[in-house]
Amino acid sequence: MREAGPPSTASAQAAHELQIGGAVTPEAFGARQTYAALDLGTNNCRLLIARPERRPRRRNNDSLRIIDAFSRIVRLGEGLGKAGRISEAAIERTIAALDICREKMEARGVTRARLVATQACRGAANGDEFIERVHERTGLRLDIIDRETEARFAARGCGALADPSAESVLLFDIGGGSTELVWLTRERRSGNGAYALRAWTSLEIGVVTLAEHFGGRSVSAETFAAMAQQARESLAPFAHRMANERRCPRFHLLGTSGTVTTLAGVHLGLERYDRWRVDGLWMSDDDASRAIARLRAMDFEERVANGCIGPQRADLVLAGCAIFEAIRELFPAPRTRIADRGLREGMLLELMEADGALTHGA
């Protein structure tokens, strides 16, 4: 586990940028450019291709016009906790997904891109070797970002969903191999409700690591309680550190991850996951409790059959719920806002801002 103060306001060059399609002149910057952000995590490979939305009319203050997107569960970190290395099978699965990402970027004429890898590559003994193999096989150069940069991108990507009337907000991102928490405080001198990053932490606990340790297919009440207890122990130092921070009546949680979007889909009773109904949804504390109870009441086959879970998440979602339970217990709030956005959106917004492509706050 690592804790730090506010993340630095590093420039948009902090993470690796890939130029695609030759040199780009300054005149080509801005709205005429097509941007891509790729996030390779412990469990998922996600790509987003977008252009700046100069006149955002969509809900939730969207500043990105999405051109294309891709997401695949690759389980890059499968077995990493025990072996300490990324397995050959995981490497091949991931390279196949990255090949699709490369093809999509080429087909969409991407001119500016940021491609990053997170916890699995940070923690693996062969993380750098894997990055080199990806470059050799696909031509893509991924940058392994540190925890601070990951937290900053997540906050940038989700910030538009925070209640501008709240004095403070706790953003959390439950990943496959790590969980990031960011304490946001409203800038008193700002007239637009902007938030500043007060503090953050990154914990080496995620849905893959927890499920591999305790098992994720058949989760008894005792197993779920043990997972939640481990999460509480990991979260406790940051909770203690934030104990005296101001929390006004509008304080709330802001969650971005497959765990919370899945819970939102279950809460809404969706037969098939629908991002447009989930992104920006408010869930009360009681709503969250009921959704978790519904998930815990399902057996593995029922989770597989659920349209918001499916076979690739069925053995991971309860581990995520245990982490969410611990967050809710240590940072009690009457409501949680659900974000189907995060790291990729944050990377895109920073790239566009560096180019002067956004003419309004995001």
Side-chain angles (χ1 to χ4, degrees):
M1 184 183 81
R2 176 183 172 189
E3 292 191 18
S8 64
T9 54
S11 73
Q13 306 298 324
H16 183 73
E17 296 174 16
L18 177 68
Q19 297 285 353
I20 299 177
V24 180
T25 65
E27 290 77 15
F29 279 11
R32 288 189 293 169
Q33 290 223 86
T34 300
Y35 296 82
L38 187 148
D39 166 25
L40 178 61
T42 301
N43 199 43
N44 293 280
C45 175
R46 298 186 178 100
L47 171 72
L48 202 61
I49 301 174
R51 296 191 184 108
E53 182 65 79
R54 290 186 175 274
R55 295 183 299 276
R57 291 187 290 268
R58 301 171 186 175
R59 69 182 189 131
N60 301 333
N61 196 25
D62 285 341
S63 299
L64 306 174
R65 180 158 60 92
I66 306 302
I67 305 301
D68 204 349
F70 172 77
S71 179
R72 176 176 290 180
I73 294 178
V74 295
R75 301 205 177 205
L76 182 63
E78 188 173 57
L80 180 61
K82 293 181 179 179
R85 298 176 58 84
I86 301 171
S87 71
E88 192 63 30
I91 289 172
E92 290 302 322
R93 287 195 300 267
T94 304
I95 287 177
L98 290 170
D99 262 329
I100 296 173
C101 294
R102 175 185 51 79
E103 291 169 0
K104 283 183 172 288
M105 286 190 284
E106 291 176 351
R108 296 294 185 176
V110 169
T111 52
R112 291 263 278 161
R114 179 172 285 155
L115 319 175
V116 305
T118 57
Q119 180 58 30
C121 291
R122 283 196 297 258
N126 59 339
D128 291 335
E129 177 188 329
F130 165 73
I131 295 296
E132 288 303 318
R133 284 184 63 178
V134 167
H135 186 234
E136 291 170 4
R137 295 271 296 275
T138 70
L140 301 179
R141 173 66 72 179
L142 277 70
D143 184 53
I144 303 175
I145 58 173
D146 59 29
R147 299 174 189 277
E148 178 180 358
T149 303
E150 184 175 0
R152 178 168 58 87
F153 283 150
R156 184 66 185 89
C158 297
L161 292 180
D163 182 347
S165 299
E167 292 288 333
S168 55
V169 174
L170 179 72
L171 165 68
F172 64 92
D173 182 356
I174 301 170
S178 67
T179 294
E180 280 68 47
L181 294 96
V182 182
W183 191 276
L184 301 172
T185 56
R186 186 158 57 86
E187 291 283 358
R188 296 181 183 274
R189 292 171 294 177
S190 172
N192 62 1
Y195 280 88
L197 279 69
R198 169 76 171 149
W200 67 280
T201 191
S202 180
L203 313 170
E204 291 189 9
I205 184 172
V207 298
V208 174
T209 53
L210 209 57
E212 287 189 348
H213 181 73
F214 288 98
R217 292 175 65 94
S218 178
V219 180
S220 66
E222 292 76 17
T223 298
F224 187 84
M227 289 194 290
Q229 177 60 27
Q230 182 167 319
R232 278 192 294 272
E233 291 172 0
S234 296
L235 291 163
F238 189 68
H240 178 74
R241 182 179 163 200
M242 295 293 104
N244 295 323
E245 289 294 319
R246 176 172 171 77
R247 306 183 194 192
C248 74
R250 299 189 70 84
F251 172 76
H252 66 89
L253 306 179
L254 174 57
T256 169
S257 69
T259 295
V260 293
T261 56
T262 296
L263 279 171
V266 170
H267 163 66
L268 292 171
L270 300 180
E271 293 185 4
R272 182 178 180 182
Y273 183 79
D274 183 349
R275 178 188 186 267
W276 297 107
R277 293 188 62 184
V278 167
D279 185 49
L281 178 74
W282 286 104
M283 292 179 66
S284 70
D285 193 51
D286 287 342
D287 290 336
S289 293
R290 284 190 292 266
I292 291 173
R294 284 186 62 185
L295 273 171
R296 292 183 61 189
M298 298 179 190
D299 61 24
F300 179 72
E301 288 72 23
E302 289 172 322
R303 297 196 300 271
V304 168
N306 186 284
C308 294
I309 306 172
Q312 294 181 314
R313 293 185 182 276
D315 62 337
L316 303 176
V317 67
L318 291 180
C321 288
I323 298 172
F324 186 30
E325 286 275 58
I327 292 171
R328 292 168 60 218
E329 181 179 327
L330 293 175
F331 301 91
R335 57 190 179 142
T336 299
R337 196 160 206 197
I338 309 300
D340 190 341
R341 60 177 78 185
L343 207 64
R344 295 171 302 165
E345 287 81 358
M347 291 189 284
L348 288 170
L349 289 169
E350 287 204 2
L351 277 176
M352 292 176 183
E353 286 172 348
D355 291 347
L358 296 178
T359 57
H360 54 81

